Amino acid sequence: DTPITVEDNKLTINGQEIIATPTASDAQYTYAFGNWTIDNVEVTTDSKIQTDLTIIANFTRDTNEYRVTIETDGTGYGIVNTSSVTVEYGTAITVQDNVLIIGDTTVTATPATNTAQYTYAFNSWSIGNTTVTGDLTITANFTRDTNEYRVTIQSNNTSYGTVNTSSVTVEYGTAITVQDNVLIIGDTTVTATPKTDTAQYDYSFLNW
């Protein structure tokens, strides 16, 4: 009836100490001591040795989990629907255009709503690894382009005069200035020229 003393991972039998030491944890796994058992029954301080027996040190191994942070590039040109997800080591990360798939989680990057001035679009994901091996941050990158518009220039009556440019395409916000019969649209100068006077009529530029 030799008594057994149990203190966590230390087993003492007849004054002899036996230490159960789990394998050192790594990036993928955390190892820990679980308990001592005899024939699948947990050993306690009340246990006694009365015959030949086998005492088993039981260990556990848990796959480590890591936090994946998903953020935007800070431009304000778009958003993501999920800011973070916690997954196990080894979880795959895949990209399908503006959709990021991390394990069972789908993250969508959505550009801002287009306006008269700007068109917004998703550009890319900044991602270092395609497998989770530690905490990491993934960034959704967006673009913003200034819209362009067509300005058509025409004469109210081509019999009375002409303009030297029929149209110009410029960005939203381009200034338009008038200097008599000259129209300046960004870097383009448009001149309105009246028809040459005849014996019957005098032609002149009136306004824009």
Side-chain angles (χ1 to χ4, degrees):
D1 285 347
T2 301
I4 300 174
T5 302
V6 174
E7 261 182 72
D8 297 324
N9 65 324
K10 182 172 72 173
L11 188 72
T12 304
I13 303 174
N14 200 25
Q16 181 178 353
E17 293 183 351
I18 303 165
I19 306 296
T21 304
T23 299
S25 298
D26 55 28
Q28 184 172 7
Y29 297 118
T30 294
Y31 299 89
F33 171 77
N35 60 6
W36 300 95
T37 58
I38 300 173
D39 294 332
N40 295 321
V41 177
E42 184 173 2
V43 177
T44 67
T45 300
D46 295 330
S47 301
K48 296 182 184 299
I49 299 176
Q50 298 174 325
T51 184
D52 291 341
L53 51 82
T54 299
I55 301 176
I56 298 175
N58 299 289
F59 297 92
T60 61
R61 185 186 72 178
D62 294 320
T63 302
N64 294 328
E65 292 188 335
Y66 293 96
R67 181 184 181 90
V68 180
T69 301
I70 305 100
E71 60 184 23
T72 67
D73 55 9
T75 58
Y77 299 167
I79 60 172
V80 290
N81 66 325
T82 300
S83 60
S84 68
V85 58
T86 300
V87 293
E88 289 187 342
Y89 179 102
T91 297
I93 302 173
T94 58
V95 171
Q96 297 176 358
D97 297 324
N98 67 320
V99 174
L100 186 72
I101 301 172
I102 308 171
D104 295 328
T105 300
T106 299
V107 182
T108 303
T110 304
T113 302
N114 294 334
T115 66
Q117 184 172 8
Y118 297 117
T119 293
Y120 299 89
F122 170 78
N123 184 34
S124 63
W125 295 100
S126 292
I127 175 173
N129 298 326
T130 56
T131 302
V132 176
T133 58
D135 292 337
L136 73 152
T137 298
I138 300 172
T139 303
N141 303 297
F142 299 91
T143 59
R144 185 185 73 178
D145 294 321
T146 302
N147 294 328
E148 292 187 337
Y149 291 95
R150 181 184 181 89
V151 180
T152 301
I153 306 102
Q154 59 188 21
S155 170
N156 67 320
N157 189 322
T158 55
S159 297
Y160 297 171
T162 59
V163 291
N164 66 324
T165 301
S166 61
S167 69
V168 58
T169 299
V170 292
E171 288 188 343
Y172 178 103
T174 297
I176 301 174
T177 58
V178 172
Q179 298 175 1
D180 297 324
N181 67 322
V182 175
L183 186 70
I184 302 173
I185 308 172
D187 296 329
T188 300
T189 298
V190 182
T191 302
T193 304
K195 187 177 178 179
T196 302
D197 294 341
T198 66
Q200 184 175 6
Y201 296 113
D202 287 334
Y203 298 91
S204 61
F205 170 78
L206 178 61
N207 59 20
W208 295 99

